[in-house]
Amino acid sequence: MASNAAVPFWRAAGMTYITYSNICANLVRNCLKEPYKTEALTREKVHFSIATWNDGKAEKPVLRSDTPED
Amino acid sequence: MLRQATRLLSRPLFSNRSCVRAFATDVPATPSPDTAFVESWKKVIPNIEPPKTPSSFMSQRPPAPSTIPTKITVNFVLPYASELASKEVDMVIIPATTGQMGVLPGHVPTIAELKPGILSVHEGNDVTKYFLSSGFAFVHANSVADIIAVEAVPIAHIDPSLVQKGLAEFTQKLSSASTDLEKAEAQIGVDVHSALNSALSG
């Protein structure tokens, strides 16, 4: 079978394609002119809560969010 | 009892089937049902309809027409919106990692990974340009092009001063980076900002 063909530099550094693609998208979004920039950043906001489970019981959930808590 | 039937039916059939698979381009326009399976099913379970396979639910891709069509159909989609949906255009130039690739009707089927760059859609005398962050482009045999990108912005939406600032920042980070990962991130920053720069000036 084919041996290690020339890999892109980001994969050689241990990055996956999705990480690479998301970094590119973030850089592009940060270079936009004003109304479009805020639109793009609000569109890409994430808001989720993670709870780790231990022995069948949920620990206290951690809230991760781009929107500040009011 | 019925649970055993599927297991008994599947075992001998699969071992007899050859493992050679045809190319996707050779798929017939209408799916042919597997007659041997349907007959064995009816012998054992005459009252229930034989199960449908996933391919019978999908609509077949229309076969490549024998004459080259005059326009390509472009589907340009982003995660949050579909920019162009089945739009008929004369040509698209996509920023593939191997360079700017022009796609005309009748282009050989291709899968291309895209690098940050300009996508231009040519329709008659109008040219619409978008700057793509990265993505993929699939050109099918029937002159349909699917272009998917994570971010695509019209060139007019890009702020030149922010681009220059970013370029300077990442060039500086590249020279001061220590680990492989930092170097890769800085290199990505330099690539994206230089592409943005040439998009603004080109």
Side-chain angles (χ1 to χ4, degrees), chain B:
Chain B
M1 187 180 64
L2 282 178
R3 274 183 295 158
Q4 303 289 339
T6 18
R7 190 167 55 85
L8 292 170
L9 277 175
S10 52
R11 253 186 320 182
L13 278 180
F14 283 178
S15 59
N16 288 343
R17 214 170 275 167
S18 84
C19 296
V20 175
R21 298 166 73 189
F23 288 126
T25 46
D26 298 344
V27 171
T30 49
S32 50
D34 190 346
T35 44
F37 175 73
V38 170
E39 281 165 18
S40 328
W41 177 278
K42 288 213 183 296
K43 270 190 231 147
V44 185
I45 315 166
N47 296 330
I48 305 181
E49 281 291 316
K52 287 207 225 178
T53 52
S55 44
S56 64
F57 287 103
M58 296 181 343
S59 56
Q60 289 285 320
R61 177 183 302 157
S66 44
T67 57
I68 299 178
T70 47
K71 285 186 180 293
I72 37 173
T73 317
V74 176
N75 298 316
F76 176 30
V77 294
L78 305 170
Y80 50 86
S82 108
E83 276 293 324
L84 301 171
S86 303
K87 182 154 191 271
E88 304 243 328
V89 298
D90 298 322
M91 174 171 77
V92 282
I93 303 188
I94 60 180
T97 44
T98 50
Q100 299 284 107
M101 186 193 295
V103 180
L104 289 161
H107 197 279
V108 61
T110 321
I111 300 180
E113 182 193 339
L114 305 179
K115 63 177 182 214
I118 302 182
L119 168 81
S120 45
V121 179
H122 297 246
E123 166 73 42
N125 282 330
D126 309 315
V127 179
T128 325
K129 292 194 183 180
Y130 303 88
F131 183 86
L132 272 63
S133 64
S134 62
F136 282 90
F138 303 87
V139 183
H140 303 290
N142 53 357
S143 294
V144 171
D146 296 320
I147 304 171
I148 51 179
V150 177
E151 267 298 330
V153 295
I155 315 276
H157 293 194
I158 305 177
D159 188 344
S161 56
L162 290 174
V163 174
Q164 295 298 342
K165 206 160 61 117
L167 186 54
E169 183 192 332
F170 279 97
T171 328
Q172 200 261 328
K173 269 194 205 166
L174 184 55
S175 48
S176 70
S178 45
T179 65
D180 259 352
L181 192 56
E182 275 176 37
K183 275 193 217 139
E185 284 175 6
Q187 182 66 50
I188 296 174
V190 169
D191 285 346
V192 172
H193 285 97
S194 351
L196 278 164
N197 224 349
S198 44
L200 286 170
S201 48

Side-chain angles (χ1 to χ4, degrees), chain A residues 39-67:
Chain A
E39 264 175 45
L41 293 178
T42 48
R43 184 174 55 216
E44 298 295 330
K45 279 195 193 302
V46 288
H47 179 98
F48 55 93
S49 108
I50 305 178
T52 41
W53 287 69
N54 229 321
D55 289 336
K57 286 205 294 266
E59 318 267 298
K60 184 158 182 358
V62 171
L63 188 66
R64 316 243 324 229
S65 165
D66 284 341
T67 56

